[in-house]
Amino acid sequence: MGSLSPNMFLPEEPIELIFLGTGTSSTLPHLDCLTAPPDAKPCKTCISTLYPEGKKNIRRNTSCVLRIRGSDGEKKTIVIDVGKSFQPAAIEWFPKYGLRKIDAVLITHAHADAMNGLDDLRGWTLRGAIQPHVDLYVSSHTFREVQRSFPYLVAKEFASGGGDVPEFKWHIIEDRVPFEIENTGIKITPFAAPPLEFCPTPSSLSPASTNPSTPSDRPSTPRDGILPAEGTKAIRPYLCLGFIIQDAIVYLSDVSHIPEDVWALFGRSPADAPEKPSVPPVFILDCLRLQPHTSHLGIADSIAVARRMGAQRTYLTGFGHEVSHDEYVTILEAVGGRKKFDHPLTSVERQGLALIEEGKPIWVRPTYDGLRVLVSEDLKARDDKYC
């Protein structure tokens, strides 16, 4: 398939998705890897970013932007997550893809790599530079965390200095309650897939009141009856929202477990998967590294989830620096059925292949910053890199 030029700003396809960032919280490259002493084992993934052939290993915080045709026929721009590296990502990719106004921002969870770039949205709203305000869609828990961490983003009386702060309109969204991006006809269903170790309280995704600035009086707590072991550091549970977008894209970052009731939401209960035909064509899924993590999938579980979903195309995202882009390509092409490669396998590739259980071949590839995916009117997916 031929490449798509970045200058093709408005393709005919009703849905266009561009990855602004595909890395974990620390981003890539790591400073400690670039400044390692000569006697240290080199990190080839991070070192490769110093050269043109390693560009796909430059990974900013996981984020994407969607351009979707609204009910009025006009393209609407929706951003998912604005983390610590959102500003440089926007500077690189917005001009290249003809992006400007933001019609909505969806925040998956209240971590720095998902929300610490909120202040940078002043570039859109300060003195009406691009638009009068940005619409923010968040859970009540995330709203309270923004209120606690950045009070001036919620109430201007907390602003200091010159008082130049972004203008936001806040929308509180709930687990599995579909909503529409205001007056666009674009439908999104949020859902929570918590880390396996934690079970969320029902109140953590529901509005505390009709006023979103009113905090809940019930804090997040560990699962009932489960307390940290003596002498260990307690890890606060958190909730990460995934999104079903226009029944065409399922987006799920920062996840280590998908409960059965969420699979039922996808229509992928054991009774009907994988034959059910109504699966969205594009599935974007978390994968931190080869091994699993408290709040992230490892490669084996990511592939198991992708096989169960059975999407037309699955794109993995949210990577650390343990595996390079090219190594992920090799591993995932093998998952699709490829048996032979034109290069000797690296130790990382061999380790990754050994972790993946035998199963039905599926199409799955690693994302990289700047990758663009298009979904056509008849729900066929393509992108500007992979065949």
Side-chain angles (χ1 to χ4, degrees), residues 72-127:
D72 60 359
E74 298 296 320
K75 291 276 187 172
K76 312 299 178 183
T77 299
I78 301 168
V79 173
I80 300 180
D81 283 342
V82 287
K84 298 177 292 181
S85 58
F86 170 71
Q87 177 78 354
I91 288 173
E92 179 168 5
W93 302 116
F94 269 52
K96 286 184 179 179
Y97 287 108
L99 296 160
R100 181 171 167 84
K101 180 185 176 185
I102 296 175
D103 295 282
V105 172
L106 316 179
I107 303 296
T108 59
H109 65 297
H111 280 176
D113 59 340
M115 72 176 197
N116 271 27
L118 284 171
D119 185 79
D120 292 324
L121 291 171
R122 71 171 72 186
W124 277 258
T125 67
L126 193 60
R127 289 178 286 277

Side-chain angles (χ1 to χ4, degrees), residues 171-224:
H171 305 263
I172 304 302
I173 57 179
E174 299 182 59
D175 184 19
R176 301 178 218 187
V177 177
F179 65 93
E180 177 184 347
I181 302 298
E182 288 199 324
N183 303 315
T184 65
I186 297 170
K187 300 295 179 62
I188 298 175
T189 300
F191 61 91
L196 181 60
E197 288 79 3
F198 304 118
C199 181
T201 60
S203 64
S204 57
L205 275 175
S206 301
S209 71
T210 55
N211 179 2
S213 64
T214 302
S216 169
D217 58 2
R218 183 179 182 184
S220 297
T221 58
R223 183 171 54 189
D224 292 345

